[in-house]
Amino acid sequence: GATSTYKDDKSLSMDDNLRLHELQAMDDLQKLAQQYERLLFSTGGALNLKKCHWALISWVWSNGTPTLANILQAPGDLLLTDGTSPTLNAIPRLEPTDSYRTLGAHINGSGMMTKALQLSRSHSEKFAANLRNSSLLAAAAHMAFNMYLIPKISYALPVSTFTEKECTFIQAPAMSTVLPKMKLNRNTARSIVHGPANYGGLMLRNVYCEQGLGQLKLFLGHIRNRDKVGDTIIVAMSTLQLRIGSTVPFFDLPYTRYAKWEVKTWLGSLWQFIHTLGWSLEVRRHWTPKRQRV
């Protein structure tokens, strides 16, 4: 990806400066994309331009409120040559809200998880339909839920931002089918259904817990490795800390009190999960603002 390096011109309006930012970002992206195409071609490979796509994240301001700009509001093209041909090919452009598949995860520029939610729900519905028509016994139904459905859904959960309500929506069809297969009432207390065997629980895995624990492992792994992703997480933490305006690390704050200032982000989703469990995280590199006046 590429970001704008343009410096605002004080003699121009905000809209004019914003447009110059967009043009700068698109110019840098074109240079970067063409360089990678050339490198791949020079080493014997080829880039299938028809399978490539790009999106521009820009903003339209109205009464102090920003919204993501669509293609009509922020026009632009990305043109690349292919191999030895001098012909410029237009790379398909996606709207910021158009979801696309990466390695198992469906994401988009807006950060919304609508497409991923629909697909995960469809997996649960298909599993429920197959299980309902099967002759599996209780133990086999239990194993099918934990060992087949949950891994299928949870593969992309560490990078997802589903709420607890959305996770319940995802697993609802499967739960309403697997419990009767196990000779249980569909309305059995979820503390029993998902609880550990030590306390008499059935140990059916919970989608929201799978997502939260996956996020936590991803977070701790990159922070401890101090790799590029870990550094990006630290930057995102600083941004979130500045946005909520507190001198106390946000992981030590109640999420529900600050949720109205927090947009739907991956860090915010992790923070909400941590708060739900009553946990806290301490990161030595976590920046907090100093109090300006006493």
Side-chain angles (χ1 to χ4, degrees), residues 236-254:
M237 290 175 64
S238 301
T239 303
L240 176 55
Q241 188 70 47
L242 183 63
R243 189 162 60 243
I244 65 174
S246 175
T247 59
V248 179
F250 63 82
F251 279 129
D252 294 333
L253 297 173

Side-chain angles (χ1 to χ4, degrees), residues 103-135:
L103 294 176
H106 289 77
I107 60 177
N108 59 52
S110 69
M112 301 298 291
M113 303 294 299
T114 306
K115 181 68 173 179
L117 179 65
Q118 294 172 348
L119 288 172
S120 297
R121 170 79 178 197
S122 68
H123 292 324
S124 181
E125 291 173 345
K126 184 176 180 180
F127 172 83
N130 291 335
L131 183 63
R132 191 179 301 114
N133 299 323
S134 73
S135 57

Side-chain angles (χ1 to χ4, degrees), residues 81-94:
T81 60
D82 184 17
T84 59
S85 174
T87 305
L88 291 172
N89 301 278
I91 305 302
R93 179 178 172 183
L94 301 179

Side-chain angles (χ1 to χ4, degrees), residues 42-110:
S42 64
T43 55
L47 191 64
N48 191 338
L49 300 184
K50 293 181 179 180
K51 293 184 178 181
C52 299
H53 55 258
W54 68 286
L56 176 67
I57 305 300
S58 187
W59 304 95
V60 175
W61 291 82
S62 177
N63 298 323
T65 302
T67 55
L68 281 172
N70 57 36
I71 294 177
L72 291 177
Q73 294 168 324
D77 294 310
L78 183 63
L79 304 174
L80 300 179
T81 60
D82 184 17
T84 59
S85 174
T87 305
L88 291 172
N89 301 278
I91 305 302
R93 179 178 172 183
L94 301 179
E95 293 281 8
T97 54
D98 289 342
S99 295
Y100 58 93
R101 182 177 180 177
T102 56
L103 294 176
H106 289 77
I107 60 177
N108 59 52
S110 69

Side-chain angles (χ1 to χ4, degrees), residues 19-212:
R19 182 54 183 165
L20 291 173
H21 276 292
E22 293 169 352
L23 294 174
Q24 177 69 58
M26 287 187 285
D27 183 62
D28 289 345
L29 179 61
Q30 177 146 343
K31 293 176 181 177
L32 183 64
Q34 190 66 75
Q35 180 182 13
Y36 276 107
E37 190 280 330
R38 293 286 84 197
L39 289 173
L40 185 60
F41 179 72
S42 64
T43 55
L47 191 64
N48 191 338
L49 300 184
K50 293 181 179 180
K51 293 184 178 181
C52 299
H53 55 258
W54 68 286
L56 176 67
I57 305 300
S58 187
W59 304 95
V60 175
W61 291 82
S62 177
N63 298 323
T65 302
T67 55
L68 281 172
N70 57 36
I71 294 177
L72 291 177
Q73 294 168 324
D77 294 310
L78 183 63
L79 304 174
L80 300 179
T81 60
D82 184 17
T84 59
S85 174
T87 305
L88 291 172
N89 301 278
I91 305 302
R93 179 178 172 183
L94 301 179
E95 293 281 8
T97 54
D98 289 342
S99 295
Y100 58 93
R101 182 177 180 177
T102 56
L103 294 176
H106 289 77
I107 60 177
N108 59 52
S110 69
M112 301 298 291
M113 303 294 299
T114 306
K115 181 68 173 179
L117 179 65
Q118 294 172 348
L119 288 172
S120 297
R121 170 79 178 197
S122 68
H123 292 324
S124 181
E125 291 173 345
K126 184 176 180 180
F127 172 83
N130 291 335
L131 183 63
R132 191 179 301 114
N133 299 323
S134 73
S135 57
L136 292 181
L137 300 178
H142 182 283
M143 182 175 294
F145 183 90
N146 277 347
M147 305 304 293
Y148 172 77
L149 176 65
I150 294 300
K152 186 179 184 67
I153 293 176
S154 63
Y155 177 78
L157 285 181
V159 296
S160 302
T161 57
F162 297 129
T163 63
E164 186 172 6
K165 183 178 180 180
E166 289 172 335
C167 289
T168 301
F169 173 76
I170 289 173
Q171 66 185 29
M175 290 295 296
S176 65
T177 304
V178 73
L179 291 178
K181 278 289 184 179
M182 296 172 62
K183 313 302 180 184
L184 295 171
N185 190 293
R186 288 185 176 91
N187 299 317
T188 301
R190 292 307 185 252
S191 57
I192 297 176
V193 171
H194 300 299
N198 291 345
Y199 296 98
L202 299 175
M203 297 181 64
L204 282 177
R205 294 162 68 181
N206 179 273
V207 173
Y208 186 62
C209 289
E210 294 291 325
Q211 174 183 268

